[in-house]
Amino acid sequence: MQTTDIGNKEDGKIWHRKPTPINGVMVSVIHSAAAYQSKIVRFLHITFDATGDSFLAGDHHGNIYVFDISANRFRLIQKTGQACTALAFNLRRTTEFLVALADYSVKCFDKDTKQLVSWMRGHEGAVSSVSVHSSGRYAITTSTDTAQLWDLDTFQRKRKLNVRQSVGIQRVFFLPLSNTILSCFSDDSIFAWECDTLFCKYQLPVPDQGPRFHYKAFAVTRDGKTLAAGGRSNLLHLWCLEARQLLRVIQMPPKVRTVRQLDFLPDSFDGGPPCSAVSPNGRHVVTIMDNGGLNIYAVQSLTQEFNKPPPPLVKVVSGGGPSALTVKVKSESVQRPSKTSSIQLIVVYIQNELPDGLNQKRLLGLLKAFGEYPAKYRMFVWRSLLRLPENHAAFSSLTDKGLHSAYISIQERYPIKSHKLQRGLQRVLSALAHWAAIFGETEYLPLVAFPFVKLFQNNPLLCFEVVATIIVNWCQHWFEYFPNPPLNVLSMVENVLAHHDKELLQHLTDCGVTSQLYVWPLLETLFSEVLTREEWLKLFDNVFSNHPAFLLVTVVSYVTCCRAPLLLCNHKEDFKYFFHHRNNLDISAMIKETYRLMEGTPAEIHPRNMLADFQPLTRGQYPVFNKYPTYIVEYQSQERERIRQQEMEFLRERQAVQELRAETVRRQAEDEAWYTQQELLQQAEEQRRNILQQEENKLAEQRTRLAAMKRELKVKEMQLMDAARRRFQKHQQHQRLTDLHRLDDQIQQKVWRPQESAAAVQDAEVRQIELETQRRLFEQVRNCPSLHSKFPQVLTSLGHRSAPPRQVIYILKITWPRYCHCILVESMAEAGQVCTDTEWQAEVLRRLERDDMHQDSHNQLLARVHRETRAKEDQLVNAMKDMEGKMWEEVVAQKAKLEEEKLAADSAEAHRRVFLSQDQEEMEQHQEDLWSQARSVGGSRPVLWVGPGPFCGWVQARSVGGSRPVLWVGPGPY
């Protein structure tokens, strides 16, 4: 058989040469620690994938390996850092797997990328199994107190199954190729649930009476119709899930005591418990061995014996000599399973199977040769030598009673650093006290049980049965003088010592040391105080392999081997110390001396004749233990109960007193705290007063400095205000000057207008002269009596006075229209000039009106400026009111100056108004003169007026000629 050590390698080959199965084993895989080659890292859990060619294995260091049998490769795919408690490798995404860790969480990893896919939490205990639905979409994680259903697509918890604390969960899993969930509880009840609705479909019947089976292992066929269940017995139950009935009960061999795991070949339900896994294709089986390694089996090799043909029906027995007889023997019929059966093979892993050929004499010979049993097989040998019955039901009935009242507060008498050991010791002692009442009164029982609790801390059943076996066999007659030490047993040891070393016994007697001082301390602790762990284990290898008297003779050999230091001791305290502490002793020499004393002690004083031979515990139920004075134990029990009641009453009273005392102390503390607080407050008040006084002094100084600063700031402010005032005065003066210049410009413009008016008047006078000349001419023409009488004058005026009248008439007839036309043209030109003059006069009037409007707006501006000046004066007055008296004169002077400036501005404005009014009066007078001239021209006669106007015709112009007709000639509509 090949053995592969993966060590610290992260990948490699599973086997290095073609495997040849030996007893079905193809290869054995171990994982040795890197620092210690002799130390093996144990594999804890294994599970196959859906194809059956690869499987995962997790060790207690948190390493997860994938083993590919078809490719002959292994690879480290994850380091979780903590031990795994369950594995699942048949998810819908084939590269992902689930691992349950010791921190009660479940993680999903990818074996190719080695990345964490999801982290699921919610359990309050270790997850014992992970079951995946056949679709790979859902998973169920199970712990002792709850089962949870997860959606592997979202990694969210869908449902949670809680149970009572008294009823634990054994396993919850999916049935293959169905949507049914099967839940198995510690009370042997099995329920079937619908996956989608979690509706209870059915419950398998559980007998109301009879022994319990304590189901621990379950297996289901691939079609989901048959369930196999096993537990703490050698019976297997086959259930038909369709009919919900028990099909048959299979009884295993008598040496089988507990079924750890069940699997159907070639089908597998899921990864299963941590011992083994069967590939879904039925080709390989992987198991975890006692040394923590892995064995990979070939199922074909395992089933060779099963597939052998039946034995022959005729057996030939031939003997030597001619008279040989041929005997025909008819063999019994051999029944073989039908190949059409769905159940081909059930693989059962058995706990506590005793190997054939193991006997006490051979073990004793090996022990004497090597001095001790191998550490690897010591516990197995001890269990075999003590013939432990492993009565699970009986032990459960004892532990179900809870903690015994005598050991509720054992941590006060025997404090232990490890809480786990403390609870284990408390549990074993309580079970012993429930088994026999005396063990609740035995004070030294924790000293006897503690070494075995430390050895079997993970298996309380074995620990209890080992201690019970020791009490029944090696502690014979210990309780006959209860509650005193066993004087009869001490006398046996003393007689053996007197026979072999009288001198040492005489020395002990002379020093006042009795057997209760040098024998009883060794017995009541079973040598655990005076020996190291290795020495103690080596000693009890020999104790369990010999007669119960061997323990008593060991006490004598210990004393005789230490005779030299004992002879040097003279005080009783030295002897007490010696037998309660470790000493320099050769354990091998002491054991050899024990064997010598066992053989050399006379029969009349040999403890073997006074002690019964070894009697193992009976199976099924533990024997009744009554080898003690029951009345004393009962009396002590009653007394203990009475004392306990009194103690409880005393504790209640003491609690009340303590509460009262605590209340008094609290009140005193409150009073003291109050007085202290008052003192502190008074001190704080005084301190704050001092601080306040200091602050007031500082404030006074600050006020003084602030006043000085205020004065300085006041002076600076006055200076700044004075500078601002001067700057404002300059600004106002500049503004006034600017206004005056602007007014001067306006006045200059106004002064230019009278000049224009004068020029216009002169032009009007010239035009008046021309009009006067024309008027006279027209008067002459109009006042002529006839045309002929005036004709010479016309001719004279025309320059033709010497011409004859007819010619003149002819000329007049020809030239008169032209002349009249010229006169009209000249009249119209004169009228246009007059119209132009009139328009100019109207423009002058419009300009005067515009100037009046500008004057009004200027007056408004002056009024607004005056108002603003008044507002600024008010602001200045309000500002100056806050100043000191010495600034008042300056303010008054400034105000007077402003008033003078205002008066000057008002006077300038009045002067301008007077000037404008004079100009306006002059213009009006000039206009009146023009109208007067017009009147003087027309008189009371018709006047030909040429000028602009909207029409041409005869109108009544009262404004010019009163009621006289006037001829108006000008542009416009006719």
Side-chain angles (χ1 to χ4, degrees), residues 31 42 119 179 275 279 305 314 469 531 562 577 598 605 615 632 726 773 801 863 924 937:
H31 183 192
R42 295 183 58 86
W119 192 345
N179 287 329
C275 291
S279 63
E305 294 294 331
V314 178
T469 304
L531 298 178
C562 299
Y577 181 85
M598 284 286 290
I605 61 173
Q615 295 292 332
I632 295 178
R726 289 195 296 270
T773 303
R801 294 180 182 181
E924 291 176 355
V937 171

Side-chain angles (χ1 to χ4, degrees), residues 154 190 225 262 295 377 379 502 667 798 962:
T154 61
I190 300 176
K225 297 180 180 180
L262 294 172
N295 277 4
Y377 301 104
M379 297 299 105
K502 294 181 180 179
R667 290 182 179 179
L798 295 174

Side-chain angles (χ1 to χ4, degrees), residues 44-45 59-60 62 80-86 99-107 121 123-127:
L44 299 178
H45 297 272
D59 59 25
H60 73 279
T80 61
Q82 51 186 327
C84 65
T85 58
V99 54
L101 301 175
D103 62 352
Y104 311 153
S105 65
V106 180
K107 294 183 179 180
R121 293 179 175 271
H123 283 277
E124 297 180 356
V127 177

Side-chain angles (χ1 to χ4, degrees), residues 436-441 482-483 626 628-642:
I438 189 174
F439 298 132
E441 310 296 331
F482 185 82
N626 56 2
Y628 59 89
T630 56
Y631 65 94
I632 295 178
V633 174
E634 292 176 357
Y635 174 76
Q636 284 195 351
S637 300
Q638 295 175 0
E639 286 295 316
R640 183 181 295 277
E641 183 64 22
R642 184 180 61 81

Side-chain angles (χ1 to χ4, degrees), residues 363-509:
L363 290 175
L364 186 59
L366 294 174
L367 182 62
K368 289 182 179 180
F370 297 99
E372 60 179 337
Y373 294 124
K376 183 177 181 180
Y377 301 104
R378 175 175 282 121
M379 297 299 105
F380 173 73
V381 174
W382 282 14
R383 288 160 54 186
S384 302
L385 291 174
L386 298 179
R387 305 176 196 172
L388 301 180
E390 299 187 21
N391 298 324
H392 295 276
F395 179 72
S396 298
S397 64
L398 295 177
T399 56
D400 291 343
K401 295 180 181 179
L403 296 179
H404 196 272
S405 60
Y407 298 107
I408 293 178
S409 59
I410 189 175
Q411 64 275 5
E412 298 178 0
R413 292 178 293 169
Y414 301 99
I416 302 175
K417 293 183 179 180
S418 175
H419 295 287
K420 182 178 181 180
L421 289 177
Q422 187 79 54
R423 292 192 299 269
L425 178 62
Q426 196 174 27
R427 185 185 308 163
V428 171
L429 294 177
S430 298
L432 291 172
H434 290 307
W435 177 40
I438 189 174
F439 298 132
E441 310 296 331
T442 306
E443 296 181 357
Y444 57 85
L445 187 61
L447 302 176
V448 175
F450 179 72
F452 301 98
V453 172
K454 198 169 183 180
L455 284 176
F456 299 93
Q457 55 182 325
N458 295 324
N459 197 331
L461 170 63
L462 296 181
C463 180
F464 171 82
E465 293 187 349
V466 168
V467 176
T469 304
I470 290 175
I471 291 175
V472 172
N473 294 278
W474 280 269
C475 297
Q476 298 179 34
H477 311 294
W478 280 27
F479 309 101
E480 294 178 0
Y481 293 90
F482 185 82
N484 299 318
L487 300 179
N488 51 349
V489 176
L490 301 181
S491 298
M492 292 186 225
V493 177
E494 193 171 19
N495 292 335
V496 176
L497 179 60
H499 176 75
H500 292 283
D501 199 339
K502 294 181 180 179
E503 181 183 359
L504 179 57
L505 180 59
Q506 186 63 39
H507 175 72
L508 296 174
T509 304

Side-chain angles (χ1 to χ4, degrees), residues 42-53:
R42 295 183 58 86
F43 285 100
L44 299 178
H45 297 272
I46 48 180
T47 179
F48 274 93
D49 64 353
T51 63
D53 294 331

Side-chain angles (χ1 to χ4, degrees), residues 55-82:
F55 67 91
L56 293 178
D59 59 25
H60 73 279
H61 283 182
N63 301 318
I64 308 297
Y65 292 87
V66 58
F67 291 84
D68 191 344
I69 300 177
S70 60
N72 187 25
R73 301 293 298 180
F74 73 89
R75 180 165 55 95
L76 176 63
I77 60 175
Q78 196 57 242
K79 293 182 178 180
T80 61
Q82 51 186 327

